[in-house]
């Protein structure tokens, strides 16, 4: 059963018409980096809720959520309108197993995301803990347009802070720009272009892949990795190379 508490908005960054970052403060229980919670508002007398992943480190008191403003989405459109000091409902607890502790031993960890699903990876990387066991971490963020790369500066800062351990790559699918790959992330995996640009190989014997984003991307990526790389989905019962979180 959800335990709702009230939070207060301290910032609402409206990056584009369709993307914004909501930052609140609330006395929630401490979450694990990579987990999600629920946000809600009372709209026309009804409490409307959705799940959103934390972007911030669990050590931060500022709770950050990267949100897509869905067309005809009652909650997202109202969340985007929130002003500083307005109240919001948040679940006291957090959920999900998309965490570093669930990843089996491996040398290289790939983090592949689309859209707002970059959030859990940023939380994990900002927390920094339990990442020493990986030789390399590769973070890939795929978006439609360059204007949607709203966390690229944070990604670059994290890359510098990890001193060569972290590699980053942005992917833009609908326009060509410098310093980003062009096309769908699944196509870039199939062609080998993503690995070539990063000078890193996805190999079954030393690689684990975390997928977060659009369900179609995840489904297609799992199929590619299973058929072409002989990788399997990881579970408590069967050790594998793929962990995923559906973001919608």
């Amino acid at each position: 059963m959800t335990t709702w508490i009230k939070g207060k908005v301290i910032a609402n960054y409206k990056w584009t018409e369709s993307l914004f970052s909501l930052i609140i403060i609330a006395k929630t229980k401490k979450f694990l980096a990579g987990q999600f919670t629920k946000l809600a508002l009372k709209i026309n007398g009804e409490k409307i809720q959705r799940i959103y992943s934390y972007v911030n480190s669990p050590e931060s008191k500022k709770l950050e959520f990267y949100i897509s403003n869905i067309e005809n989405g009652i909650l997202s459109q109202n969340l985007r309108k929130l002003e500083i000091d307005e109240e919001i409902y948040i679940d006291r607890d957090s959920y999900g197993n998309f965490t570093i502790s669930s990843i089996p031993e491996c040398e290289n960890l790939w983090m592949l995301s689309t859209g707002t699903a970059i959030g859990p990876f940023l939380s994990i990387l900002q927390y920094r803990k339990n990442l020493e066991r990986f030789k390399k971490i590769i973070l890939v963020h795929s978006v439609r347009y360059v204007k949607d790369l709203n966390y690229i500066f944070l990604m670059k800062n994290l890359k510098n802070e990890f001193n060569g351990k972290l590699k980053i790559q942005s992917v833009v699918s609908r326009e060509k720009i410098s310093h980003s790959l062009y096309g769908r992330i699944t196509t870039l995996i199939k062609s080998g272009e993503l690995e070539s640009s990063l000078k890193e190989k996805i190999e079954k014997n030393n690689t684990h892949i975390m997928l977060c984003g659009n369900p179609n991307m995840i489904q297609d990526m799992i199929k590619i990795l299973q058929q072409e790389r002989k990788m399997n989905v990881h579970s408590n019962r069967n050790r594998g190379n793929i962990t995923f979180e559906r973001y919608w």
Side-chain angles (χ1 to χ4, degrees), residues 104-110 135 138 189 195 199-209 225-226 228-232 239-242:
E105 292 300 319
C106 64
E107 288 185 16
N108 301 325
L109 179 64
W110 285 65
K135 183 178 179 180
I138 299 96
I189 288 283
E195 292 161 274
K199 295 180 173 59
E200 296 290 343
K201 287 288 186 180
I202 295 175
E203 298 177 327
K204 181 179 179 180
N205 65 331
N206 66 5
T207 303
H208 194 93
I209 297 181
L225 295 172
Q226 287 176 331
E228 301 185 11
R229 307 301 177 97
K230 308 304 178 186
M231 292 179 160
N232 296 304
R239 181 188 173 99
N241 313 84
I242 308 166

Side-chain angles (χ1 to χ4, degrees), residues 25 49 88 112 115 124 127 142 156 168 171-172 200 225 245 247:
I25 52 174
Q49 61 177 290
I88 181 176
L112 307 183
I124 290 169
Y127 188 46
S142 177
K156 289 179 178 179
I168 64 172
V171 176
V172 180
E200 296 290 343
L225 295 172
E245 181 81 283
Y247 209 63

Side-chain angles (χ1 to χ4, degrees), residues 16 18-19 66 115 141-150 152 170-177 180-183:
T16 67
S18 59
L19 294 167
Y66 189 32
H141 187 205
S142 177
V143 299
R144 294 180 178 181
Y145 302 100
V146 64
K147 67 180 181 179
D148 301 329
L149 291 171
N150 300 302
I152 192 66
S170 58
V171 176
V172 180
S173 65
R174 296 193 180 181
E175 60 181 334
K176 293 184 178 181
I177 62 167
S180 290
L181 294 180
Y182 171 71

Side-chain angles (χ1 to χ4, degrees), residues 14-46:
K14 299 169 184 177
W15 306 108
T16 67
E17 286 297 318
S18 59
L19 294 167
F20 63 100
S21 294
L22 190 65
I23 303 177
I24 70 174
I25 52 174
K27 294 182 179 180
T28 56
K29 290 184 178 179
K30 190 172 183 178
F31 65 94
L32 299 176
Q35 288 190 312
F36 60 86
T37 190
K38 304 173 199 171
L39 299 179
L41 290 174
K42 275 192 176 179
I43 302 171
N44 297 325
E46 182 182 0

